[in-house]
């Protein structure tokens, strides 16, 4: 008699929904403590994130950044690497995007500036990830330690550049001059207006499409290419893959370079699409949140997109909640932490029970069919 197997949609889909439900249940207890009615808070968050055109735009704008950083973590994770350097790689990617916009913004048309900015952001992010990758592959330095160190180095480097190099004369703000309008990414509302469609103004820009394209490319690369197979093989077993002739140093460097490139694309959304200048700390923790996005999305591009929408909802809905009830804006961080706790650290707490319930229902249905 063959043993009934638990399908992936139960172990991944149902389990994730249950864990998120538990996180929201604990959030409801927190809201009671803050004298906020949980249902009212949920309605306000939902309306703030999806109830208006502007809210949807902000939610998708935040989700765009999370897609880039989440994909960056996911690619490295498939090779068995825990890339915690997305924050620094996104920061240095912003340097590449900023240099293109500052130096060529007045010289080239948008049709050339946009691809050049994409290339520059990706190359700078990849270059920043290459050094920890080389140290891991050739010297045995732990990737977690080196990527954390490179986050601080990136922050110090950008602080120096913004204070002593890019800051306009007479300005006291740690930011560069505003990019030329030619280099600004078109916003969705502007594109819609050009087609005669009315859309609420928001920071959402065309980098959202690039994020979706990157997710599709990652799926093709990881699951439908020889290099992707080598990455997954090393992630499953470095020793077995080495026995099969797969070069561990090559895979480590390849995975980390692609990871850094994806993190570097984050700057397109924020700098080119919204701020239009390089500012201090423009990454704002999105690189670290990308780790949670990748874990929640099971390191799959589709899962990363869904998890990014969830965190975009928490960001935008939390901001609306903070405005309506006057609670601290850091309530968003608390909500994120609860989601990460139940979907990460306590991920497998409910797994045995959920699988038992599924197997019991499946076996009962099979027995009834055979009885008929």
């Amino acid at each position: 008699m063959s043993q009934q197997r638990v399908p992936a949609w139960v172990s991944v889909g149902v389990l994730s929904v249950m864990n998120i439900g538990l996180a929201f249940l604990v959030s409801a207890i927190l809201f009671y403590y803050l004298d906020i009615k949980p249902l009212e808070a949920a309605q306000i968050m939902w309306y703030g994130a999806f109830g208006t055109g502007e809210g949807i735009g902000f939610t998708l704008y935040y989700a765009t950044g999370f897609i880039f950083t989440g994909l960056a973590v996911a690619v490295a994770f498939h090779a068995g690497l825990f890339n915690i350097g997305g924050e620094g790689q996104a920061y240095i990617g912003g340097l590449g995007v900023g240099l293109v916009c500052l130096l060529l913004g007045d010289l080239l048309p948008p049709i050339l500036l946009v691809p050049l900015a994409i290339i520059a952001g990706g190359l700078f992010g990849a270059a920043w990830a290459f050094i920890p990758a080389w140290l891991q592959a050739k010297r045995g330095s732990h990737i977690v330690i080196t990527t954390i160190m490179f986050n601080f180095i990136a922050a110090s480097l950008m602080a120096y550049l913004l204070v002593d190099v890019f800051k306009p004369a007479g300005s006291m703000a740690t930011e560069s001059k505003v990019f030329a309008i030619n280099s600004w990414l078109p916003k969705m509302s502007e594109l819609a207006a050009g087609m005669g469609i009315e859309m609420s103004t928001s920071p959402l820009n065309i980098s959202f499409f690039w994020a979706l394209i990157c997710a599709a490319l990652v799926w093709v690369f990881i699951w439908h290419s020889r290099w992707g197979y080598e990455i997954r093989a090393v992630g499953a077993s470095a020793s077995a893959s080495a026995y099969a002739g797969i070069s561990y140093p090559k895979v480590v460097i390849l995975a980390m370079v692609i990871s850094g490139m994806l993190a570097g694309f984050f700057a397109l959304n924020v700098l080119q699409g919204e701020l239009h200048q390089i500012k201090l700390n423009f990454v704002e923790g999105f690189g670290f949140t990308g780790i949670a996005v990748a874990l929640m999305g099971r390191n799959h591009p589709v899962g990363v997109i869904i998890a990014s929408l969830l965190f975009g909802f928490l960001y935008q809905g939390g901001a609306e909640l903070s405005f309506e009830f006057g609670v601290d804006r850091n309530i968003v961080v608390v909500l994120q932490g609860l989601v990460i706790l139940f979907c990460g650290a306590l991920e497998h707490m409910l797994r045995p029970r959920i699988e038992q319930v599924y197997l019991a229902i499946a076996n009962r249905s099979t027995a009834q069919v055979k009885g008929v």
Side-chain angles (χ1 to χ4, degrees), residues 212-372:
L212 297 180
I213 291 172
C214 286
L217 292 175
V218 167
W219 177 76
V220 172
F221 176 77
I222 294 294
W223 281 277
H224 297 277
S225 74
R226 186 188 56 141
W227 287 343
Y229 172 78
E230 291 180 350
I231 287 174
R232 288 185 290 118
V234 169
S237 175
S239 58
S241 61
Y243 184 77
I246 298 174
S247 171
Y248 176 77
K250 183 192 77 173
V251 167
V252 168
I253 292 175
L254 175 64
M256 281 298 295
V257 164
I258 294 175
S259 178
M261 177 186 67
L262 290 165
F265 290 151
F266 169 85
L268 299 168
N269 182 46
V270 178
L271 296 189
Q272 246 191 314
E274 172 59 12
L275 299 179
H276 305 140
Q277 59 183 159
I278 308 175
K279 289 191 175 185
L280 194 66
N281 298 325
F282 71 85
V283 183
E284 293 184 332
F286 273 63
F288 294 121
T289 308
I291 299 172
V293 169
L295 292 175
M296 279 194 61
R298 298 299 191 275
N299 299 303
H300 191 285
V302 175
V304 167
I305 292 173
I306 295 173
S308 297
L309 289 173
L310 172 62
F311 277 86
F313 160 74
L314 291 177
Y315 258 61
Q316 177 57 21
E320 190 72 18
L321 187 69
S322 175
F323 176 77
E324 289 291 333
F325 289 102
V327 296
D328 195 309
R329 183 69 168 80
N330 287 324
I331 189 68
V332 179
V333 179
V334 176
L335 295 177
Q336 286 181 341
L338 289 171
V339 171
I340 294 169
L341 175 66
F342 282 96
C343 295
L346 302 178
E347 173 190 1
H348 300 294
M349 181 175 65
L350 297 178
R351 180 187 292 272
R353 186 58 181 167
I354 291 175
E355 292 182 349
Q356 287 174 5
V357 170
Y358 170 80
L359 291 174
I361 295 174
N363 291 333
R364 184 180 302 170
S365 300
T366 303
Q368 290 176 349
V369 170
K370 289 182 178 180
V372 173

